[in-house]
Amino acid sequence: LDYSPSEIVVCPGPKDVVFKICVTMLNPKSRRNRLVTFAPTYESFENLPILLTGKPPIVLETDAHFLPDPNQLADLLNQDDTVALIVLNSPNNPTGAVYPDSLLRELAEIIGKHEQICILSDEVYRTIIYDGIDHVSIASFLPAQTLIVGGMSKEVSGTGLRLGFVAGPEAVMGAIANVEGNTSSCVNLPTQKGYAHFLRKDTDLRLRYQIRDALYSRRETLTNRFSKLVTDAVWERPAGAFYFFPDMSFYCGHRTPKGKPINTDEALALYLIESANVVTVPGSKFQRPGHLRFSYAVGLETINLGIERMAEALDQLSA
Amino acid sequence: LDYSPSEIVVCPGPKDVVFKICVTMLNPKSRRNRLVTFAPTYESFENLPILLTGKPPIVLETDAHFLPDPNQLADLLNQDDTVALIVLNSPNNPTGAVYPDSLLRELAEIIGKHEQICILSDEVYRTIIYDGIDHVSIASFLPAQTLIVGGMSKEVSGTGLRLGFVAGPEAVMGAIANVEGNTSSCVNLPTQKGYAHFLRKDTDLRLRYQIRDALYSRRETLTNRFSKLVTDAVWERPAGAFYFFPDMSFYCGHRTPKGKPINTDEALALYLIESANVVTVPGSKFQRPGHLRFSYAVGLETINLGIERMAEALDQLSA
């Protein structure tokens, strides 16, 4: 994939990029102004359409591996002419799922039949995929309708530096650049210079793959320890990103040692903070209740200690 | 004026703050969703309402000193129930005008009669006022309806670091914070830390007044040289900010040495770039054609050289 400068817009952070895309594509006065996203989905994809158009997103379910069903999408697009933007996110936050080539090709074929629709392909975790799988963008199959969203901070562990970009067809990029020019104007200068310096050095992605490899051993530690100590959770081994998203429904419906009922993933997350000092994000924030999202972008010792403490806390729950 | 953390939101740059305020206050589906601004006005205040609501701003004129007419505003607000937001900008970009206390008090009284309307008081140049005048915010007279917009880069010559803030009533700030949380998330970390360090050191504004004093001598040099060398312009001495906004209408309607007609401020600005290497912004960008905006945030030598070259270039124009 190759983009010229007029096909790229840079904004302060990928979340900000998503906002600028939504401002550009989701016109409150157009009939075609709805956003489609697949559950579990990132919170912004729920909030931004409501903020900008008053309408919630259309949320489609995924299968047991957190993968979209192409037929379901095809049916929706054939019946509904209000869709403007479809969000895909692989590697996925919160599940760590990576969409296979063949799935992306199928989705591209379906969406390609509806030329007015754009894909917002959130690929901020593109350099963090394990087990020898290569990242593929749906833009390889459908460049004219794909807006690739990327960011620097996940790739280089530069949390807090806030730089994101979008690459796609020139006409859409021109409109987004106009929005950006009237809003954030630009990314702060030190961040621009720092990343430019980095990109000139890491042309072969070597430094970024070192980060991936460090995350790989964390995933291994996390899933090994988890499978031994937290036996009543149901989960998939994440193929990318640095999140782990087990189904913890078993533990909901239990009671804490003090007798407080834990009925929701939110209550469970709070209990784990209070009793084990482990921070998770409840799945209901991603439209998938009963799950918890763990981030393993922390050191191995922290992962080991966290899981031990969590397992102890979960063992103390009673039915 | 004193604000608690829940009455302040920080965003990547004042322009971005303005955008977030407009997203929050200018609901495309509300009847009351129009923005009022005074000409000459900054470009974003024209573009953002169109982007968000499809409706242009209501632009009111100012007098010969670039000051708003309170009676005209009172008439508008009594007749028109669609106004949501009124932009005030003192010290002013592009004119350098500073609104007197008495005017702000009058405006506050008028706007205070319409409780649903907020003031977006753009005060990014608040520390750059000359001739012993103190900055006054309209929030001192109407805190419940005023959103003060400020920024760091103008105050400390930190161009490119992108940090702005808004301070105002908690309910509105909560809504803006929600928007910010779903968009930019936060200002990049090095900028936050850098400015925090600066603010802890410059509690008495001493460093910021040093910058003002340096700009003062540039204003003096600029206006002295300009009055001697560019005799057919009509202008006001700017009382604040670092802009100078002369009426250059006299030179429009002339011809370049090569016979090219100069009919607009845009053509004049282009001629000055090409023939004198002097960059200005045409007044028509601020809804005030015939003027040019000069920035004097450059060294004294550059100011002297620029005016000399410009004077030569203007002398070569023929009727």
Side-chain angles (χ1 to χ4, degrees):
Chain A
L1 288 168
D2 209 26
Y3 291 91
S4 70
S6 62
E7 294 167 317
I8 299 171
V9 183
V10 176
C11 302
K15 208 189 217 178
D16 194 70
V17 170
V18 167
F19 181 45
K20 269 57 178 267
I21 292 173
C22 288
V23 168
T24 306
M25 301 288 298
L26 307 181
N27 185 336
K29 294 187 177 171
S30 296
R31 177 167 167 70
R32 193 179 273 284
N33 68 1
R34 296 202 69 181
L35 179 145
V36 173
T37 185
F38 293 92
T41 184
Y42 189 64
E43 220 182 349
S44 294
F45 297 124
E46 283 193 69
N47 296 339
L48 290 175
I50 296 173
L51 173 71
L52 295 169
T53 66
K55 294 181 202 160
I58 299 170
V59 181
L60 297 180
E61 281 305 312
T62 52
D63 68 13
H65 311 289
F66 303 117
L67 299 178
D69 173 359
N71 295 325
Q72 199 189 10
L73 181 65
D75 288 348
L76 173 75
L77 299 187
N78 288 332
Q79 287 159 26
D80 187 322
D81 64 351
T82 65
V83 174
L85 201 57
I86 297 169
V87 175
L88 299 178
N89 173 214
S90 170
N92 187 268
N93 175 6
T95 66
V98 173
Y99 296 4
D101 262 44
S102 55
L103 174 62
L104 291 171
R105 203 183 284 268
E106 255 186 289
L107 292 169
E109 207 165 293
I110 290 159
I111 300 167
K113 288 179 187 148
H114 306 270
E115 287 176 15
Q116 292 163 283
I117 300 178
C118 279
I119 301 167
L120 189 168
S121 182
D122 177 352
E123 303 178 19
V124 293
Y125 302 99
R126 68 187 175 118
T127 56
I128 308 172
I129 304 184
Y130 314 113
D131 311 316
I133 303 169
D134 280 328
H135 175 65
V136 177
S137 172
I138 194 164
S140 347
F141 310 120
L142 197 59
Q145 289 170 246
T146 302
L147 318 178
I148 298 179
V149 174
M152 291 306 295
S153 69
K154 315 288 182 187
E155 295 187 8
V156 308
S157 302
T159 313
L161 283 184
R162 314 301 302 144
L163 186 142
F165 60 85
V166 51
E170 195 167 344
V172 182
M173 292 306 110
I176 296 173
N178 260 342
V179 171
E180 177 62 6
N182 279 288
T183 55
S184 315
S185 297
C186 66
V187 168
N188 82 95
L189 209 60
T191 298
Q192 285 191 47
K193 297 217 169 185
Y195 279 139
H197 181 76
F198 172 84
L199 289 172
R200 264 182 236 111
K201 283 208 161 173
D202 195 41
T203 48
D204 56 358
L205 299 177
R206 204 165 42 86
L207 285 167
R208 281 171 275 186
Y209 287 148
Q210 280 175 16
I211 290 170
R212 177 200 59 189
D213 294 344
L215 287 168
Y216 170 80
S217 53
R218 293 174 190 179
R219 181 196 69 167
E220 292 303 291
T221 302
L222 173 71
T223 50
N224 290 339
R225 299 288 283 171
F226 199 88
S227 67
K228 276 181 200 131
L229 294 175
V230 186
T231 44
D232 291 306
V234 179
W235 48 274
E236 283 276 307
R237 185 180 299 272
F242 43 71
Y243 302 112
F244 177 55
F245 196 63
D247 182 343
M248 307 286 281
S249 308
F250 172 85
Y251 301 100
C252 301
H254 281 62
R255 282 179 182 276
T256 69
K258 288 181 184 162
K260 207 172 144 191
I262 293 194
N263 294 321
T264 62
D265 53 358
E266 270 133 347
L268 184 61
L270 265 179
Y271 172 69
L272 292 180
I273 291 176
E274 284 163 6
S275 59
N277 213 17
V278 168
V279 179
T280 60
V281 181
S284 50
K285 291 271 171 210
F286 302 96
Q287 301 235 10
R288 189 62 70 106
H291 291 64
L292 291 180
R293 188 193 77 172
F294 295 77
S295 163
Y296 52 92
V298 291
L300 290 175
E301 271 182 56
T302 309
I303 291 171
N304 278 318
L305 186 64
I307 293 179
E308 272 164 40
R309 284 197 191 153
M310 180 173 60
E312 270 174 49
L314 292 173
D315 281 344
Q316 286 173 28
L317 295 177
S318 55
Chain B
L1 287 170
D2 210 26
Y3 290 91
S4 71
S6 62
E7 294 168 317
I8 298 171
V9 183
V10 175
C11 302
K15 211 190 215 176
D16 194 68
V17 170
V18 167
F19 181 45
K20 269 54 178 269
I21 293 173
C22 288
V23 168
T24 307
M25 302 288 300
L26 308 182
N27 184 335
K29 295 187 176 169
S30 298
R31 177 168 168 67
R32 191 179 276 283
N33 69 0
R34 297 202 69 182
L35 178 146
V36 173
T37 185
F38 293 91
T41 184
Y42 190 62
E43 221 181 349
S44 293
F45 297 124
E46 281 193 71
N47 296 340
L48 289 175
I50 296 173
L51 172 71
L52 295 170
T53 66
K55 295 181 201 160
I58 299 170
V59 181
L60 298 179
E61 282 304 313
T62 51
D63 67 13
H65 311 290
F66 302 116
L67 299 179
D69 174 358
N71 294 325
Q72 199 190 7
L73 180 66
D75 288 349
L76 173 75
L77 298 187
N78 289 331
Q79 286 158 27
D80 187 321
D81 63 352
T82 65
V83 174
L85 201 58
I86 298 168
V87 175
L88 299 178
N89 173 215
S90 169
N92 188 267
N93 175 7
T95 66
V98 173
Y99 295 4
D101 263 44
S102 55
L103 173 62
L104 291 171
R105 202 182 285 266
E106 254 186 291
L107 292 169
E109 205 165 295
I110 289 160
I111 299 167
K113 287 179 187 148
H114 306 268
E115 286 176 16
Q116 293 164 282
I117 301 177
C118 278
I119 301 167
L120 190 169
S121 183
D122 176 352
E123 303 178 18
V124 292
Y125 300 99
R126 70 188 172 117
T127 55
I128 309 172
I129 304 185
Y130 313 114
D131 311 316
I133 302 169
D134 281 328
H135 175 65
V136 176
S137 171
I138 194 164
S140 350
F141 309 120
L142 198 59
Q145 288 170 248
T146 303
L147 318 177
I148 299 179
V149 173
M152 290 306 295
S153 70
K154 315 289 181 185
E155 295 187 7
V156 309
S157 302
T159 312
L161 283 184
R162 314 301 301 145
L163 185 144
F165 60 86
V166 52
E170 196 166 344
V172 182
M173 292 306 108
I176 296 173
N178 260 342
V179 171
E180 176 62 7
N182 279 288
T183 56
S184 315
S185 297
C186 66
V187 167
N188 83 93
L189 208 61
T191 299
Q192 284 191 46
K193 297 217 168 184
Y195 279 140
H197 182 77
F198 173 83
L199 289 172
R200 264 182 236 111
K201 283 207 161 175
D202 197 42
T203 47
D204 55 358
L205 299 178
R206 205 166 42 86
L207 286 166
R208 282 173 273 187
Y209 287 148
Q210 279 174 17
I211 290 169
R212 176 199 61 190
D213 294 344
L215 287 166
Y216 170 80
S217 54
R218 293 173 190 180
R219 181 195 70 168
E220 293 301 291
T221 302
L222 172 71
T223 51
N224 289 340
R225 298 288 284 168
F226 200 89
S227 68
K228 276 181 197 131
L229 294 175
V230 186
T231 45
D232 291 307
V234 179
W235 48 274
E236 283 276 307
R237 184 180 301 270
F242 44 70
Y243 303 112
F244 177 55
F245 196 63
D247 182 344
M248 306 287 280
S249 308
F250 173 85
Y251 301 100
C252 301
H254 282 62
R255 281 175 182 278
T256 70
K258 287 178 183 163
K260 208 172 144 190
I262 292 192
N263 293 322
T264 61
D265 52 358
E266 270 133 349
L268 183 61
L270 265 181
Y271 172 69
L272 292 180
I273 291 176
E274 284 162 7
S275 60
N277 212 17
V278 168
V279 178
T280 60
V281 180
S284 49
K285 291 269 172 212
F286 302 96
Q287 301 236 10
R288 189 62 71 105
H291 291 63
L292 291 180
R293 188 192 76 172
F294 295 78
S295 163
Y296 53 92
V298 291
L300 289 176
E301 270 181 57
T302 309
I303 291 171
N304 278 317
L305 186 65
I307 293 180
E308 271 165 39
R309 283 196 192 153
M310 178 172 61
E312 269 174 50
L314 291 173
D315 282 345
Q316 285 173 28
L317 296 177
S318 55

